[in-house]
Amino acid sequence: MLTLLSSFSCRPITNLQRPLRLLLLQPISIHTHLNLNPNPNPHSFLPLMAFSTGSPSPTQSPQLTKRVGTHNGSFHCDEALGCFMIRLTDKFSNAEIVRSRDPQVLESLDAVLDVGGVYDPSQDRYDHHQKGFQEVFGHGFSTKLSSAGLVYKHFGKEIIAKELQVNEEHPDVFRLFLAIYKSFMEAIDAVDNGINQYDTDQPARYVNNTHLSSRVGRLNLDWIDPDQSSTKENEAFQKAMALAGGEFLDSLRFHAKSWLPARSIVMECLSARWDIDPTGEIMVLDRFCPWKLHLFELEEELKINPSIKYVLYQDERAKQWRVQAVAVSPDRFESRKALALQWRGLRDEELSEATGIPGCVFVHMSGFIGGNKTYDGALAMARASLKL
């Protein structure tokens, strides 16, 4: 029997507190005061922020506020997101962002991202442009990291644990750490490092400029803008941080409130499959949730054999039961074992007569899904189709 580790398995997450949001709304101690956002967006996750280009003000001790550096000039998604994330940590909470390429300035800072030619986490240096850099996230991922990926690798578990309000060693933290890298962070690393999504020499069929990295890139100052000042550039970078950081927090909260409970449900139902049918090839969802990707991942992780052929769940709107054939892979339409060929395209009494099972509603022409008025009828359809 499988052991369910997730603390979210027995209760839905309906009232997650928002400690990160509260952290972001705290006032920031800064060296220069640039009113970059006089009309704040109510959906923004960032408070008013100031940037500097070098030394602290003589009226403020540099020890009072941590200073995190990145390069000035044109910016990309990785350093915007990296700066946003590192400010969520205890060590660099609400740090001042210093944008400069001056080596002397960078050397004086508490952390440096995406510039400086050094990767040394012991010194909080997180550049990835230097010759010989090949750092990856690990855990089966082989994409070279950007500055955002480096920050996530070293601080991601702390950020996630804060959102869940649990210890970093909690098993759910590590699950989300991997899931968020896979679904959100890896693409940012790959785009920044110029890694193609597909292994092909063929030109792309279409242009896609709607992904996060492209949208952040469009926030750079336009070449026709008459104001190319550092103040204007810093204002644009703040917008980039808000955009990238907001989507990161959206991803984190989706995974905490929706993805993780769904995974727990699928794991519970997967562990109960032998109680449903002696073949172990039929799974019943006792509560409907997004199940497909979880099923594929859990089958691989837990070495499930034989694989699940059919998943049963109740259609709450129609108050009927569905029998869905599992696809051969997440990105394919073909089923591992489609519902019986002789049933496809039939409905109601004609289908019930063909199957010998009362209450049948339909079977799709492709055989990927069917329906019955009752749970017992849907289970009978799945069992019968396994043998045909």
Side-chain angles (χ1 to χ4, degrees):
M1 187 67 69
L2 301 177
T3 301
L4 180 63
L5 296 175
S6 173
S7 63
F8 296 100
S9 59
C10 299
R11 60 180 175 85
I13 302 176
T14 57
N15 191 30
L16 263 186
Q17 297 183 35
R18 299 300 175 88
L20 295 184
R21 185 179 179 87
L22 294 177
L23 175 66
L24 289 172
L25 294 175
Q26 293 174 355
I28 304 174
S29 176
I30 54 179
H31 296 153
T32 57
H33 300 270
L34 305 177
N35 186 13
L36 301 181
N37 195 7
N39 297 300
N41 182 340
H43 301 293
S44 173
F45 291 92
L46 281 175
L48 295 181
M49 183 187 302
F51 299 85
S52 74
T53 56
S55 302
S57 163
T59 63
Q60 184 177 24
S61 168
Q63 280 73 38
L64 296 179
T65 303
K66 294 285 187 178
R67 305 171 75 218
V68 173
T70 189
H71 60 81
N72 58 348
S74 296
F75 51 79
H76 301 97
C77 184
D78 70 314
E79 72 264 24
L81 179 56
C83 287
F84 182 96
M85 289 192 297
I86 204 168
R87 296 178 74 247
L88 301 179
T89 67
D90 288 338
K91 186 175 183 179
F92 297 103
S93 177
N94 291 329
E96 179 195 359
I97 303 300
V98 178
R99 301 186 69 235
S100 175
R101 293 184 183 274
D102 186 329
Q104 290 186 331
V105 170
L106 297 177
E107 187 177 353
S108 70
L109 303 178
D110 299 289
V112 176
L113 282 62
D114 208 47
V115 68
V118 175
Y119 168 52
D120 183 357
S122 69
Q123 300 296 319
D124 288 308
R125 265 47 185 170
Y126 303 104
D127 197 10
H128 66 112
H129 296 100
Q130 58 273 25
K131 184 177 180 180
F133 178 88
Q134 294 296 331
E135 188 75 9
V136 300
F137 185 66
H139 310 291
F141 296 94
S142 58
T143 299
K144 189 166 75 168
L145 297 179
S146 67
S147 60
L150 288 171
V151 171
Y152 184 78
K153 179 172 183 173
H154 291 283
F155 297 100
K157 284 186 281 190
E158 177 191 344
I159 294 168
I160 292 166
K162 281 185 175 183
E163 179 68 10
L164 299 186
Q165 297 187 36
V166 297
N167 188 280
E168 280 189 48
E169 301 307 313
H170 193 287
D172 287 339
V173 171
F174 187 68
R175 289 194 186 100
L176 294 183
F177 185 56
L178 298 183
I180 293 167
Y181 185 78
K182 179 179 181 180
S183 67
F184 183 83
M185 293 297 308
E186 186 175 22
I188 293 168
D189 288 337
V191 169
D192 195 75
N193 284 301
I195 300 171
N196 290 328
Q197 189 173 9
Y198 301 102
D199 292 326
T200 176
D201 294 329
Q202 296 298 314
R205 292 177 179 268
Y206 55 88
V207 173
N208 178 13
N209 289 323
T210 62
H211 55 74
L212 180 58
S213 295
S214 292
R215 283 181 282 125
V216 167
R218 285 199 296 273
L219 294 176
N220 278 285
L221 300 185
D222 195 295
W223 67 277
I224 61 172
D225 191 333
D227 185 355
Q228 298 285 324
S229 66
S230 60
T231 299
K232 188 76 170 179
E233 187 180 283
N234 287 340
E235 180 181 348
F237 188 72
Q238 177 177 344
K239 292 178 182 177
M241 287 178 63
L243 173 60
E247 293 207 11
F248 169 74
L249 290 182
D250 283 345
S251 177
L252 170 53
R253 287 163 182 164
F254 161 77
H255 279 85
K257 293 191 298 181
S258 177
W259 181 93
L260 192 59
R263 184 185 190 276
S264 297
I265 291 171
V266 175
M267 180 177 277
E268 287 181 321
C269 296
L270 188 58
S271 69
R273 68 193 185 281
W274 299 106
D275 299 331
I276 304 301
D277 187 79
T279 65
E281 298 179 77
I282 300 172
M283 187 179 83
V284 176
L285 285 176
D286 53 11
R287 290 157 288 174
F288 183 78
C289 65
W291 55 268
K292 296 177 186 177
L293 286 176
H294 291 297
L295 178 60
F296 285 108
E297 290 179 357
L298 287 169
E299 282 184 328
E300 181 178 356
E301 178 182 327
L302 302 170
K303 311 300 181 187
I304 298 297
N305 187 33
S307 61
I308 301 298
K309 304 303 187 298
Y310 301 114
V311 173
L312 277 59
Y313 56 89
Q314 188 173 30
D315 184 334
E316 290 291 342
R317 291 172 297 180
K319 300 300 180 184
Q320 298 171 350
W321 279 82
R322 297 289 181 253
V323 186
Q324 185 159 343
V326 179
V328 296
S329 66
D331 57 349
R332 297 286 294 276
F333 292 110
E334 297 89 348
S335 301
R336 290 172 174 173
K337 186 170 178 59
L339 291 167
L341 179 62
Q342 56 267 42
W343 301 351
R344 299 177 198 175
L346 301 183
R347 299 188 63 87
D348 303 323
E349 290 303 320
E350 185 181 8
L351 178 57
S352 292
E353 184 177 344
T355 61
I357 301 168
C360 289
V361 178
F362 76 98
V363 170
H364 192 272
M365 284 294 296
S366 68
F368 91 96
I369 195 169
N372 194 285
K373 295 177 181 178
T374 68
Y375 164 75
D376 289 336
L379 179 57
M381 291 174 68
R383 285 174 170 170
S385 191
L386 275 178
K387 299 174 183 178
L388 296 174

